[in-house]
């Protein structure tokens, strides 16, 4: 079992925004560019959504469960947490 993974995310407040971004990603738009442009998490947005390496127990539960289910290079459908709606991309780990 992988104990640390590397992910990026795009965080928005509304489900409708997240679904629109998810559709744009499916059409081939750049995850990093959309994160820089649209994510309300300004810290990671500057890095194209990069959250770096993290292990279990670091992120909120719903985010963690979704992130650890992804295969390398996969992008999640919108995931709701108390912070808003995340689209998560697993980079590696």
């Amino acid at each position: 079992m992988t104990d640390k993974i590397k992910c990026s995310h795009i965080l928005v407040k509304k489900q409708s925004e997240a679904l629109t971004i998810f559709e744009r990603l499916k059409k081939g738009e750049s995850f990093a560019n959309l994160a820089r442009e649209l994510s309300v998490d300004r810290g990671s947005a500057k890095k194209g959504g990069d959250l770096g390496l993290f292990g279990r127990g670091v992120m909120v539960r719903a985010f963690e469960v979704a992130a650890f289910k992804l295969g390398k290079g996969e992008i999640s459908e919108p995931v709701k947490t108390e912070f808003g709606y995340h689209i998560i991309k697993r980079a590696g780990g």
Side-chain angles (χ1 to χ4, degrees):
M1 183 185 294
T2 305
D3 59 343
K4 287 200 172 181
I5 59 172
K6 182 176 167 79
C7 291
S8 297
H9 80 144
I10 299 170
L11 174 62
V12 293
K13 293 294 180 192
K14 295 180 185 168
Q15 184 178 26
S16 59
E17 293 173 285
L19 291 169
T20 299
I21 293 166
F22 186 66
E23 289 303 315
R24 290 173 68 177
L25 290 166
K26 287 200 298 191
K27 290 177 183 168
E29 288 195 51
S30 163
F31 191 96
N33 288 346
L34 288 172
R36 279 190 278 274
E37 179 187 336
L38 302 170
S39 183
V40 297
D41 177 356
R42 300 316 306 159
S44 70
K46 288 184 276 189
K47 301 179 281 185
D50 186 10
L51 295 169
L53 277 172
F54 59 89
R56 294 184 187 275
V58 175
M59 302 297 184
V60 294
R61 183 85 181 125
F63 184 101
E64 177 184 300
V65 168
F68 275 88
K69 281 184 184 173
L70 294 172
K72 291 179 185 175
E74 286 185 333
I75 296 173
S76 74
E77 292 194 15
V79 176
K80 186 179 189 328
T81 71
E82 61 262 37
F83 301 105
Y85 291 85
H86 306 260
I87 298 171
I88 308 163
K89 180 178 182 180
R90 178 156 172 201

